[in-house]
Amino acid sequence: FQDTGIPVSNGYSGGFVNGIIGLATVQLGPYSVAQQAFNNAKSVTLALVLDLGLDGLIGMSFAGQGDISSTGDTLQGNPNFPEDAGRAFILNVVDQTPTQNSFIAFSLSRTDDQEGTSDASFTINDVDPKYAAVQNAPILPLFPGNIGEWGFIFGGFTVDGKPVKLPPSNVDGVPPGQMVLRLDTGTPFTFMPPALIDGIYSLIPGAQNQQLHFFGPNKVWTVPCNTTAILSLQIGGQEFPIHPLDLSEVVVDPSMNLPLCVTPFATFTPAFGMDIFAGDSFMRNFYSVFNFGVENPQSVADAPSVQLLAQTNAQSASQDAVKVRASLLAQIAP
């Protein structure tokens, strides 16, 4: 281990990790990277790390042709370090196989209502045998190109087979009636433009857009807690059902101690080459393969891409949602 003495800070939506840049050999499975730079944390305000008792975080983001890590930015231009010092670990792994398409793959899942994930898997340059069929899935090229994000065009949504009216895409070059979806395992929630959220929940039986006195100044969509509605994404000619439990979260009205179910989707203004920012609440419904392509793509075939395989069965998910949600509500109030 080498302590560089150089301070660095990593900012996240929930807090900061402040420390000193260190260099060490990092090994993960069969991969080993010497002189890997990292934030040797001294101060952590990120609740995710503190609450879960984690020893650290390792970024797996796609950095495109550059490096978006704070560590890399801090070392860049420092005459005491090589030009590529501070590159993300996963990019250093990809560098070890420069002539092949290197990829990472994730499965996320749930064992109970409102739980994050469990029974998950993460692989590098290998596919979880349970999801081997993903290798035959359509290849989704990144859009709008290699901008350092895992985004691609998708065809739209349906609710119980009824098409959702899509607002116009915010991204230049997207065909009419389509939008750009970006995936991120590091985000628990899913963010959408308000018009799209309205379009989805207006098709769910019993859903209401209303003011909740304890929920802030803006109206929010509530849904029946035992809803069995199936929201499906149309991607690459395939259908990807979203579990009904991912369409609502249980909150309690403190004045009456009564549970309500509200949308877990957050609103945002589309930007940065995307229309929808989809985190774990979507991603645990499909197995995801993120292909980095070769380091210097020479053709379209070698460009970065995404492949997806549906994990949620619409019929069994509807039955499961009623059972699981009833069990949770019984614990909250009569």
Side-chain angles (χ1 to χ4, degrees):
F1 168 71
Q2 176 187 344
D3 189 337
T4 68
I6 301 174
V8 65
S9 178
N10 291 94
Y12 300 87
S13 59
F16 291 87
V17 178
N18 302 311
I20 304 296
I21 294 179
L23 301 175
T25 297
V26 176
Q27 184 169 347
L28 183 64
Y31 298 98
S32 181
V33 176
Q35 294 282 282
Q36 174 66 53
F38 68 100
N39 182 342
N40 189 27
K42 306 298 181 182
S43 171
V44 179
T45 63
L46 191 62
L48 170 69
V49 173
L50 298 174
D51 295 345
L52 297 180
L54 302 180
D55 293 308
L57 293 174
I58 182 168
M60 290 292 166
S61 64
F62 175 43
Q65 299 300 320
D67 191 350
I68 60 174
S69 76
S70 297
T71 304
D73 292 342
T74 303
L75 292 181
Q76 193 171 24
N78 189 313
N80 298 318
F81 296 92
E83 183 179 350
D84 61 350
R87 295 193 79 204
F89 171 79
I90 189 62
L91 295 184
N92 287 329
V93 168
V94 170
D95 281 347
Q96 296 178 13
T97 55
T99 60
Q100 75 176 48
N101 287 337
S102 295
F103 63 90
I104 53 179
F106 296 89
S107 69
L108 306 176
S109 61
R110 169 201 304 106
T111 61
D112 205 350
D113 197 10
Q114 292 192 301
E115 187 185 49
T117 59
S118 72
D119 189 29
S121 68
F122 161 59
T123 57
I124 299 176
N125 290 338
D126 198 9
V127 171
D128 187 327
K130 290 188 294 185
Y131 308 106
V134 74
Q135 298 171 95
N136 300 320
I139 295 175
L140 308 172
L142 300 193
F143 192 92
N146 184 356
I147 63 170
E149 302 290 349
W150 296 104
F152 51 86
I153 291 178
F154 79 106
F157 293 101
T158 61
V159 175
D160 291 335
K162 300 176 182 178
V164 176
K165 183 179 179 180
L166 297 183
S169 174
N170 177 68
V171 185
D172 292 339
V174 176
Q178 297 182 320
M179 303 183 83
V180 175
L181 179 76
R182 181 180 297 177
L183 301 179
D184 183 3
T185 60
T187 302
F189 310 110
T190 293
F191 299 82
M192 298 182 182
L196 181 56
I197 294 178
D198 291 345
I200 291 173
Y201 283 87
S202 64
L203 294 177
I204 296 178
Q208 299 181 50
N209 192 18
Q210 56 185 309
Q211 183 81 46
L212 300 180
H213 65 89
F214 63 93
F215 214 75
N218 298 322
K219 287 186 175 182
V220 63
W221 279 98
T222 62
V223 298
C225 287
N226 62 349
T227 183
T228 58
I230 294 292
L231 174 69
S232 294
L233 288 80
Q234 317 300 319
I235 304 175
Q238 294 182 304
E239 186 168 309
F240 294 85
I242 302 299
H243 201 292
L245 291 177
D246 290 323
L247 297 182
S248 67
E249 61 179 341
V250 180
V251 297
V252 177
D253 182 338
S255 64
M256 296 183 291
N257 194 34
L258 291 176
L260 290 169
C261 288
V262 302
T263 172
F265 300 155
T267 60
F268 84 128
T269 301
F272 309 115
M274 65 173 167
D275 297 302
I276 300 171
F277 192 47
D280 298 336
S281 61
F282 266 26
M283 292 192 64
R284 59 186 168 211
N285 291 280
F286 40 78
Y287 184 73
S288 309
V289 174
F290 301 90
N291 193 325
F292 289 87
V294 296
E295 187 175 7
N296 296 302
Q298 300 298 318
S299 67
V300 175
D302 292 331
S305 62
V306 174
Q307 288 177 287
L308 303 175
L309 180 71
Q311 289 195 70
T312 299
N313 177 280
Q315 182 175 356
S316 60
S318 294
Q319 298 171 353
D320 182 55
V322 174
K323 179 180 66 176
V324 172
R325 188 54 59 80
S327 175
L328 175 66
L329 293 177
Q331 301 173 36
I332 296 177

